[in-house]
Amino acid sequence: MPGVAMQGKPQRPRQHMDNLLALPNATLLAGDYRIERVLGAGGFGITYFARDVSLDRAVAIKEYFPSDFAAREGTLIVRSKSTSCDEDYDWGLERFIEEAQTLAKFEHPNIARVYRYFRQNNTGYMVLQFEEGKSFKSWLDKLGRPPSQHELDQIIAPLLAALELIHAQDFLHRDIAPDNIIIRPDGSPVLIDFGSARGEVAQHSRTVSALVKPGYSPFEQYAATGKQQGPWTDIYALGATLYHAVTGSRPIDSPTRITTDELKPAAQAARALYRPRFLKAIDAALQLKIEARPRSIAAWQQELLGDGGAVQPKLKAVEAGAADALARTRKLETAMPRIVRWPGRRAGEQPPAKRLPIEMKKPAKLAAAPAMVALSAAVVAPKAVNRRSLIALLDGVRAAVASTGAAAKARVERFNQAPAPLPSAPQAIELNDQPTEIARPPQAKAPPRVEPKPKAPRPTPKVRPERVRVPSSGKSWLRQVPWLQLALIGGVVATMIYIQDHRASEPPLAAIGAVHATTDLDLVRAIRQQTSAIRSLAVSPDSRLIAAAGADGSVSLIDVASGNLLKTLAAPGSEVTAVDMAEGVLAMARRDGTIELYDLEKGERLRNFREPQGPVWAVRFAGGNRQIVAAGADRKVRLIDRDRGSRATMSGSGNDVLAVAYTARLRLIAAAGSDKLIRIYEGGRTREARTLSGHTDDVSALAFSPDGRTIASASFDQTAILWSAETGKQLVKLEGHGNRLTSLAFSSDGGLLATGSEDTTVKLWDTRTGALVHTYVGHTGPVRSVAFLPQGSRLVSAGDDQTIRIWNAEVAGYR
């Protein structure tokens, strides 16, 4: 089955066990279950999607198939591979059936339900309820942001209840991880894929390693026996899963931590979005020593959830209050047109022949009251309200105030232009369920008649309407509605939260303007000139130009100051995989193996080379604009002279070379790729000086610091590492992204490092301490390239959303 094409990485064919050893589609099991497709396969079994033909419902079926010592005879029968494996196979089959029998006893809405188990084809089968939804890992990825405390509380509480039931039966899950928790469409979680039997089979057979998941399994699961395992084992795994949720990366493997424990506490690695007690409980679960962890779910639950379980009742109370408040507000609004203002007059003056009734404006505060009541949840139940909800509600308040004010103004103008006669009797309004009359103002007694001295006639004073007062209780209408007071208080608090967090929202695609404060790390400009995803970025040495390479094969030159497209250097064709700029020259690499050089001033192509075999994944200028370093699928690193062609060739990797870098100060070339290693060459002699090892997946990007003494590497393992270019020593490891890293860049003074990721964010790091300085949020797709403008404090990023974003990166102490 062909592999999935990924940016920066070639396609590779893959063979799946489910294709080679699975039951054929349409196979009928136990006379009731028809196999329709394979859902997944592992070292201990195969899971199928099937149809229960008798009840016409979808089910999942797990087949016992330990691939290390089992084989399929024909298309159905499963046998051990040899007579020496018979005992292990049979012993494992009994454990599989026992696990099915135990799970069938659990009737809990958050545990995968077992309908039936049976033996057939010399193996065992477990029929489970088919769960619609996505894994917790996919759910986190889909969010595109850290989950809120409230969201996690709603997932954790049911899982803890499920685990407590399991542990009460002396049973363990043994394989809790983000992949083994399903989030249903209604948001409820369910535990799947228990690993208890698999662990016992692995430990008994001694033919496979113990069942573990790196990062999520505690150290006792790596032992040859399961004697030290207990509820604390599942607590560690669930704690590791929550650590992943709040930090964006899985914890360090427990065996690695035994030697040197460099795991950052959750309180340091996570954002300030969560209860301190909650983060402390995660750290307690991740203790390496068994005795340091909570011994039971009950002991851990209070620390983990605290009063989190009370959030939902509070929220329901707020919603009920809001519904009642809305009904009262509508009642008020229905009565509003009946209120009439009585124009006042001065003592001794004769009333005008006609009095103009002016309809009372519906106060904007009342029109916005329902939204304000909802905002009061920020006061009553702050854990139940997230920032997005507050922003949406505040937008609703603003819209209600604006629309109501405009409508009221129009009504007053209409009434003033077409006055109506004064009603013969005052009208009543029901407020707070009590009828109240609006009486005429009392008229003052006329003073004794005194002959006035002759004066110049004065103009008739203008009649000004008095404010409406409701004298039923001697209180203002606002004071008579206590729930509205609470709503307004909630609105103030929510507004403060909104102002604090609003910088994370994205400005429109236009010039935003200059950023004045050194702490305002926000978007400066968003430019959308591309018609396809952007694969690579480069900036000119004078910071005037941005080159954006598109997946359609075109390269656009964009003016930094205005955001305007200046010219397109290459017509659409083979995908441009990498681009770089030097003084007056641009270099681009294509998937078809071509390397092209362009004159930036004239927009003309200078040279093209086609020496490498296969796609070129990386290209960089090497000390000026006369030489370039290029590498790709041919596993070679080439130093190419602009005039003479290839000058030197270095053996780059045991697989595709995905990234290269060059420093003129130390004359070093670095290359890395799919073999996970970083090789550093001395540019003068093109010989390998040292090899750096530390990543666990493909290395996707490299960069030297401006002084050449530090090299940074980014990897698909979601980490970036800073190394000493002179000694090869690892200086600091940067973790925090929620998906593969695709690019990185140093600031002009080397004090900051920017990393781009497929999690749609760009992060800014302090290279001296490894601390996270800021996270830029705004892209709606994977970020493929980042670059600092050499002059000034600006950071540029682009990716699959076809948009170039320029961010302020001015941080005190850095240039």
Side-chain angles (χ1 to χ4, degrees), residues 690 692 709-711 722-731:
R690 63 188 61 87
L692 312 181
R709 298 183 181 278
T710 305
I711 184 171
L722 296 175
W723 315 79
S724 169
E726 298 171 313
T727 65
K729 180 181 178 181
Q730 181 174 320
L731 303 176

Side-chain angles (χ1 to χ4, degrees), residues 278-301:
F278 173 79
L279 297 176
K280 187 178 179 181
I282 293 176
D283 292 332
L286 289 176
Q287 295 298 309
L288 290 171
K289 294 182 178 179
I290 293 174
E291 58 271 17
R293 285 180 232 150
R295 304 292 288 178
S296 68
I297 294 296
W300 189 43
Q301 181 170 3

Side-chain angles (χ1 to χ4, degrees), residues 281-334:
I282 293 176
D283 292 332
L286 289 176
Q287 295 298 309
L288 290 171
K289 294 182 178 179
I290 293 174
E291 58 271 17
R293 285 180 232 150
R295 304 292 288 178
S296 68
I297 294 296
W300 189 43
Q301 181 170 3
Q302 183 60 31
E303 293 298 316
L304 190 66
L305 290 181
D307 60 353
V311 171
Q312 191 64 22
K314 287 182 180 179
L315 183 59
K316 288 182 178 179
V318 171
E319 290 172 348
D324 178 65
L326 180 59
R328 295 169 65 86
T329 301
R330 287 175 176 168
K331 192 172 184 179
L332 284 171
E333 291 180 342
T334 302

Side-chain angles (χ1 to χ4, degrees), residues 368-380:
M372 297 296 281
V373 169
L375 283 175
S376 67
V379 175
V380 180

Side-chain angles (χ1 to χ4, degrees), residues 293-604:
R293 285 180 232 150
R295 304 292 288 178
S296 68
I297 294 296
W300 189 43
Q301 181 170 3
Q302 183 60 31
E303 293 298 316
L304 190 66
L305 290 181
D307 60 353
V311 171
Q312 191 64 22
K314 287 182 180 179
L315 183 59
K316 288 182 178 179
V318 171
E319 290 172 348
D324 178 65
L326 180 59
R328 295 169 65 86
T329 301
R330 287 175 176 168
K331 192 172 184 179
L332 284 171
E333 291 180 342
T334 302
M336 284 299 170
R338 299 169 58 193
I339 299 178
V340 177
R341 286 187 176 178
W342 291 81
R345 57 190 177 88
R346 297 190 178 185
E349 289 182 353
Q350 294 297 320
K354 270 188 178 181
R355 293 182 179 179
L356 305 180
I358 303 175
E359 183 188 30
M360 178 182 177
K361 294 183 291 183
K362 295 180 183 179
K365 292 178 182 178
L366 284 179
M372 297 296 281
V373 169
L375 283 175
S376 67
V379 175
V380 180
K383 301 178 184 66
V385 182
N386 58 35
R387 184 181 64 81
R388 286 190 177 182
S389 299
L390 295 178
I391 292 174
L393 289 170
L394 280 164
D395 289 340
V397 171
R398 286 197 300 268
V401 171
S403 62
T404 305
K409 183 178 179 181
R411 287 197 301 273
V412 171
E413 290 177 353
R414 288 197 302 271
F415 271 88
N416 285 337
Q417 292 171 3
L422 183 69
S424 58
Q427 299 181 16
I429 174 176
E430 291 185 4
L431 186 62
N432 289 335
D433 302 325
Q434 295 296 327
T436 303
E437 287 195 353
I438 302 179
R440 295 176 182 267
Q443 298 189 12
K445 294 181 179 180
R449 183 176 181 82
V450 178
E451 291 295 333
K453 295 181 180 180
K455 288 184 180 180
R458 66 180 180 184
T460 304
K462 294 182 179 179
V463 178
R464 296 184 179 181
E466 295 180 354
R467 294 183 178 179
V468 175
R469 299 184 183 276
V470 183
S472 60
S473 63
K475 298 181 181 180
S476 69
W477 62 272
L478 176 60
R479 295 182 62 189
Q480 294 183 55
V481 191
W483 56 262
L484 190 53
Q485 298 176 43
L486 178 61
L488 293 174
I489 293 171
V492 172
V493 175
T495 303
M496 294 172 65
I497 299 172
Y498 172 74
I499 292 172
Q500 180 180 357
D501 291 349
H502 187 58
R503 64 179 57 171
S505 61
E506 181 183 354
L509 296 177
I512 307 303
V515 179
H516 302 289
T518 58
T519 57
D520 186 12
L521 302 179
D522 212 336
L523 185 64
V524 177
R525 185 187 299 276
I527 306 165
R528 185 164 184 170
Q529 300 285 1
Q530 301 298 119
T531 57
S532 65
I534 299 173
R535 293 295 184 238
S536 181
L537 282 177
V539 295
S540 61
D542 59 6
S543 299
R544 291 177 51 249
L545 301 175
I546 297 174
D552 62 357
S554 65
V555 176
S556 302
L557 275 186
I558 297 168
D559 180 73
V560 172
S562 65
N564 294 330
L565 175 65
L566 300 179
K567 62 184 71 173
T568 301
L569 293 181
S574 178
E575 178 184 340
V576 178
T577 56
V579 64
D580 195 22
M581 276 198 283
E583 191 65 39
V585 182
L586 178 139
M588 69 175 72
R590 294 185 182 272
R591 184 180 283 272
D592 64 4
T594 303
I595 302 170
E596 300 176 7
L597 299 179
Y598 281 82
D599 185 306
L600 289 174
E601 184 69 25
K602 300 178 181 178
E604 299 175 354

